[in-house]
Amino acid sequence: MTLLQAFVTLPVLLPMLGAAASVIVSPRASLQRVIGVVTLALVCVVAGVLLVSADSYGPVVAQLGGWPAPMGIVLVADRMSALLLLISTLVTLAVLVYAIDQRISDYGRETASTTFHPIFLLLSTGVSLAYLTGDLFTLFVAFEIMLASSYVLITRRTSASRIRSGMTYVIVSLMSSLLFLTAVGMVYAATGSVNLADLAGRVGMLPEGLKTVLALLLVVVFGIKAAIVPLHFWLPDSYPNAPAPVTALFAGLLTKVGIYALLRTQTLVFPQDHPSTLLLVIAAVTMVVGALGAVAQDDLNRLLSFLLVSHIGFMLFGLAVYTPSGIAGTALYIVHHITVQATLFLVSGLITRRTGTVSIAQMGGLAQTAPHLAVLFAIPAITLAGLPPTSGFVAKLALLRAGAGATPAAEIVAAFVVLASLLTLYAVARVWVRVFWGTPKEPLVDNDPNDELVVGTARSARGMYVGASSLIVVSIVIALFAGPLSAIASRAGDDLQTREAYRSAVLGPDTAPGGPGPVPVAAVPQGPAAAGGGAAIGAMTADDAEGTTSR
């Protein structure tokens, strides 16, 4: 295993080791904070290196345990996974900075935690593993790591009623996990493999009916985890009941991992050469139902949760188009939405701490009493609505272009993108008018000072503002570098559509486009950006079983 191949394992190993170290030093609060920040900062650097390498030379593959694919477990960093890994880890780091200063403000600088920091890092482990894994069963393991971690975070220091709300999340997640495990078993029984690159060749040889059933089962599984309508019912009742940094992390990452899993499996294992009418309909319904649900809310966190559901439909739309431009638009929208949605929930936490309530009707006049909060809310709000020249506008424009060049059904759903964007603008404008304009109101007294939701009024540490502001800076950088980022997303879309760069890197350059076996030289991708031939970093041949690495 080369040094670069070893780098692929670090986004999984570093947070796991950091979690263990955090437990060991749990009596020392300052050491826990240092371990968390340093660990995530290192993962950011590793993710950046992997993105540059994957974009320049092709997917980076690590064959774990010395077992070549498809028999062994593989970790794969291609353009798509490395890009999402980088942006997700940046968001996780910013949320951790916010959470650290919130805990210092609430409990004092010397108060440590035996659960928060280790579980936070363990959740990052699950997210990294989900992005990098190259087989279905390990993807299931990654989701279980995220589920166990998120359940601990969502139920820490909270009331019995909120634990009941959290149970909805856990029960639904467990049901989807059972469906996922069933799907993995059915796929293995039908094909004899769970390796994604190997399945790309084997699934095509299955009867059409069986292939459709397996594809739809995975759509349901990942649809629950991504909260697409009508499988979204658990999210608006669960996310708003967690502390602000936890909600921001969940909203920014967990649903996007579901979309990524759907994107990876539907393009690599169950590819189509035309838009999917079913996914187009689901995308349109998700956009509109989520946006209308947001308009009807008085609870600020529930409003943001419904907007999260609505914008999952935007990402699903790009996948449903099933073109490289559509997939590229989805990738760009995920990158934009991870940062913006997490920012809005962090700012919501700051607003709640100042006002003592989550009720929009009981707020008012914050633009006079806290103008900095008005700015922190306004920038991500208009970005989410997609006003130019924000990153949201760039991402939505990419989706609209993809839809406009596809079928009439896709063009109709593209109109729903515009409608949902207008409803989003109305929802955030309504929040702005009722929360920031008008006569300032006195903050309410916290009814439950022992939880981590509303802990004191007008008390927010400087680091909390730093965490939220840093994500706004990331969003602005995405808009400023929209050209290079769009180019990377476009190349990632091409990779997912053609599939051969991924398959050649994992299984070796002698893998046929339709399944295992030798292929003519002309069928192997060429060039430094392809994963075929000698350019595939980590690509393995039969010689690797004897310890020889193919260069």
Side-chain angles (χ1 to χ4, degrees):
M1 180 180 289
T2 66
L3 179 61
L4 193 56
Q5 290 172 330
F7 260 51
V8 186
T9 65
L10 292 182
V12 178
L13 289 178
L14 287 177
M16 190 181 300
L17 295 175
S22 188
V23 172
I24 293 173
V25 303
S26 57
R28 302 286 299 276
S30 58
L31 285 179
Q32 280 191 321
R33 298 174 193 128
V34 170
I35 288 172
V37 171
V38 170
T39 298
L40 293 178
L42 289 175
V43 175
C44 287
V45 173
V46 171
V49 171
L50 292 176
L51 177 59
V52 171
S53 179
D55 189 45
S56 300
Y57 304 107
V60 186
V61 179
Q63 312 275 10
L64 303 187
W67 290 92
M71 292 181 291
I73 296 174
V74 295
L75 299 181
V76 187
D78 62 353
R79 291 186 179 101
M80 181 68 73
S81 58
L83 176 62
L84 298 186
L85 176 64
L86 175 59
I87 195 66
S88 296
T89 309
L90 286 172
V91 169
T92 306
L93 178 58
V95 171
L96 180 60
V97 171
Y98 181 104
I100 286 173
D101 267 46
Q102 175 177 306
R103 292 182 57 81
I104 291 174
S105 176
D106 295 340
Y107 309 123
R109 187 169 294 276
E110 300 304 320
T111 302
S113 172
T114 56
T115 56
F116 179 78
H117 289 279
I119 296 300
F120 194 94
L121 290 175
L122 200 59
L123 181 63
S124 177
T125 298
V127 172
S128 299
L129 182 60
Y131 285 139
L132 295 175
T133 182
D135 69 84
L136 275 179
F137 184 76
T138 308
L139 182 60
F140 166 77
V141 173
F143 275 113
E144 292 308 290
I145 293 173
M146 289 188 288
L147 172 60
S149 304
S150 58
Y151 176 65
V152 175
L153 291 175
I154 207 171
T155 56
R156 290 184 71 256
R157 295 183 62 88
T158 188
S159 64
S161 62
R162 288 167 180 144
I163 289 179
R164 283 194 292 270
S165 298
M167 286 301 295
T168 302
Y169 166 74
V170 174
I171 291 171
V172 172
S173 297
L174 286 175
M175 289 180 62
S176 68
S177 295
L178 288 175
L179 285 175
F180 193 3
L181 195 57
T182 301
V184 172
M186 291 176 64
V187 168
Y188 184 76
T191 64
S193 177
V194 292
N195 181 278
L196 293 174
D198 195 31
L199 289 174
R202 294 176 183 264
V203 168
M205 296 182 285
L206 296 177
E208 195 64 31
L210 177 58
K211 187 164 61 174
T212 301
V213 168
L214 294 176
L216 288 177
L217 185 55
L218 288 178
V219 167
V220 172
V221 168
F222 299 135
I224 294 174
K225 297 184 181 299
I228 63 176
V229 174
L231 307 172
H232 72 293
F233 59 91
W234 57 270
L235 190 149
D237 291 328
S238 303
Y239 282 14
N241 292 301
V246 174
T247 304
L249 193 65
F250 288 5
L253 301 187
L254 298 192
T255 52
K256 311 311 181 301
V257 174
I259 286 291
Y260 168 79
L262 194 61
L263 187 67
R264 178 67 72 182
T265 54
Q266 294 301 307
T267 56
L268 183 60
V269 183
F270 305 100
Q272 290 188 207
D273 56 3
H274 59 276
S276 168
T277 303
L278 174 63
L279 291 184
L280 285 172
V281 172
I282 295 175
V285 173
T286 301
M287 291 180 213
V288 176
V289 169
L292 291 176
V295 170
Q297 299 304 312
D298 178 64
D299 184 311
L300 179 57
N301 286 332
R302 283 182 63 85
L303 182 148
L304 294 176
S305 296
F306 273 102
L307 287 180
L308 168 61
V309 171
S310 176
H311 288 252
I312 292 297
F314 288 70
M315 305 168 208
L316 193 60
F317 169 63
L319 170 61
V321 173
Y322 273 111
T323 62
S325 59
I327 296 170
T330 293
L332 200 58
Y333 204 88
I334 293 174
V335 170
H336 138 74
H337 197 261
I338 286 175
T339 58
V340 171
Q341 196 71 49
T343 306
L344 284 171
F345 274 107
L346 292 183
V347 175
S348 174
L350 293 170
I351 293 172
T352 301
R353 290 171 70 87
R354 176 167 285 275
T355 61
T357 180
V358 293
S359 173
I360 297 173
Q362 294 180 304
M363 302 179 189
L366 281 184
Q368 298 181 39
T369 59
H372 48 290
L373 273 182
V375 175
L376 286 180
F377 179 83
I379 296 176
I382 62 174
T383 301
L384 186 67
L387 297 182
T390 63
S391 60
F393 173 77
V394 174
K396 288 177 184 177
L397 184 61
L399 290 175
L400 289 173
R401 284 178 172 173
T407 62
E411 292 175 347
I412 292 173
V413 178
F416 281 87
V417 172
V418 178
L419 175 60
S421 298
L422 292 175
L423 289 173
T424 299
L425 180 60
Y426 172 76
V428 296
R430 176 172 162 267
V431 172
W432 174 266
V433 170
R434 301 185 69 178
V435 174
F436 294 98
W437 285 5
T439 305
K441 297 181 180 181
E442 290 295 322
L444 302 180
V445 178
D446 185 9
N447 294 324
D448 188 2
N450 293 321
D451 65 14
E452 293 187 358
L453 298 174
V454 184
V455 276
T457 55
R459 292 194 302 120
S460 298
R462 184 178 301 173
M464 298 173 68
Y465 290 97
V466 171
S469 300
S470 62
L471 290 183
I472 292 177
V473 171
V474 172
S475 179
I476 294 173
V477 169
I478 291 173
L480 292 176
F481 291 90
L485 187 59
S486 297
I488 293 176
S490 179
R491 292 193 288 271
D494 290 335
D495 289 344
L496 266 66
Q497 187 74 9
T498 59
R499 307 186 299 159
E500 290 315 305
Y502 188 97
R503 296 197 68 219
S504 296
V506 174
L507 301 176
D510 295 331
T511 304
V519 293
V521 175
V524 179
Q526 302 294 324
I537 299 178
M540 300 189 71
T541 66
D543 291 336
D544 289 307
E546 302 177 3
T548 304
T549 304
S550 176
R551 300 293 181 186

